[in-house]
Amino acid sequence: MMDTISERIRKVRTMLKMNQTEFAKELGVSRTHVSNMENGNDKPSSSLIKLICVHYSIDETWLVEGIGSPLPDFDVVSDEGLMSKYNSMRVMLEQMLRTRTGKELENTVEAFSSIVSLLNANGLTEDNRTPYLAAVCESIALLEAQKFATHSLGNSGKLRNGSYKMQLHYKTESEKRISEIDQKVREMNNVYLRQFQADTEL
């Protein structure tokens, strides 16, 4: 737990990968005020605290009291909770884009554009959109799980120096996820084929 709100404000700024001038501009305050808040010489107003939390989807209890984590726990059951999660992810995407240039920025933007296009579900009826979007969501979640498994094992050196049994397990689970991704892509396509009353499915 960070002991002071000054440290937590600095943490927010560094999470956003901003310098004090950029952070101050977005908040509508001076760079000196930001510096003084981070050094503990100025106390942030309640309205500024609220602005930071709303604008960057930061948990207010964490910022004020240091309890919990910077990102709020999302209620993914209600529409309001889902929109809160979306806003937090949007902020994270914008943070990411600030740090990327050239081909890396191009690939990030094009990947995001493709995801938006997939989620558009153009031409599908309301009944068909639900299973289609479920398949999209599940395929992306499987991709994320595969990336996480590879990154965590690779980062720990276990893919290089691990036991044969562990590496075999990794490969088996990876092949299983890749097969499931293939199945989800087929499900997405088949929803469209059924919509068009095609005589075939993948």
Side-chain angles (χ1 to χ4, degrees):
M1 183 175 97
M2 291 186 168
D3 291 334
T4 67
I5 192 171
S6 301
E7 293 174 305
R8 293 189 289 275
I9 288 174
R10 183 183 295 110
K11 172 69 174 177
V12 171
R13 178 177 63 77
T14 57
M15 282 171 53
L16 295 167
K17 301 187 185 301
M18 291 184 186
N19 59 38
Q20 290 183 341
T21 300
E22 293 167 332
F23 194 48
K25 184 177 180 181
E26 290 215 349
L27 295 177
V29 299
S30 69
R31 190 205 65 79
T32 301
H33 186 41
V34 169
S35 177
N36 286 339
M37 285 191 297
E38 292 185 358
N39 291 329
N41 296 324
D42 284 356
K43 184 178 179 180
S45 66
S46 58
S47 59
L48 185 58
I49 289 171
K50 182 69 70 176
L51 175 62
I52 291 171
C53 293
V54 171
H55 193 62
Y56 300 116
S57 295
I58 299 297
D59 186 88
E60 190 169 348
T61 301
W62 173 82
L63 184 59
V64 175
E65 302 176 22
I67 299 171
S69 63
L71 296 179
D73 291 327
F74 298 110
D75 161 27
V76 293
V77 177
S78 69
D79 288 353
E80 183 180 4
L82 289 167
M83 286 305 299
S84 177
K85 182 174 184 179
Y86 160 75
N87 285 326
S88 182
M89 297 303 103
R90 175 182 55 78
V91 169
M92 290 177 66
L93 174 64
E94 291 171 357
Q95 294 168 16
M96 189 191 308
L97 294 177
R98 289 191 187 99
T99 68
R100 299 186 177 180
T101 59
K103 199 68 181 177
E104 192 176 43
L105 177 61
E106 178 187 342
N107 288 334
T108 303
V109 171
E110 290 301 325
F112 177 71
S113 177
S114 295
I115 290 172
V116 171
S117 179
L118 282 171
L119 295 177
N120 187 43
N122 189 40
L124 290 178
T125 63
E126 185 174 349
D127 286 343
N128 282 331
R129 271 202 309 272
T130 298
Y132 168 82
L133 291 174
V136 171
C137 182
E138 289 162 9
S139 65
I140 293 173
L142 286 163
L143 278 170
E144 184 181 24
Q146 180 60 33
K147 173 256 184 184
F148 178 80
T150 303
H151 179 267
S152 59
L153 290 175
N155 198 45
S156 65
K158 292 180 179 179
L159 292 178
R160 183 177 65 254
N161 302 316
S163 68
Y164 173 77
K165 183 177 179 181
M166 186 279 297
Q167 293 193 18
L168 180 62
H169 177 74
Y170 162 77
K171 186 173 182 180
T172 301
E173 290 301 307
S174 295
E175 293 291 350
K176 179 181 176 182
R177 278 189 288 267
I178 291 168
S179 177
E180 289 175 347
I181 290 169
D182 177 76
Q183 183 58 40
K184 293 303 173 184
V185 171
R186 291 172 185 272
E187 287 179 18
M188 291 158 54
N189 194 76
N190 286 339
V191 171
Y192 269 99
L193 290 174
R194 288 193 294 272
Q195 170 95 13
F196 299 140
Q197 298 182 329
D199 292 331
T200 186
E201 287 195 355
L202 296 181

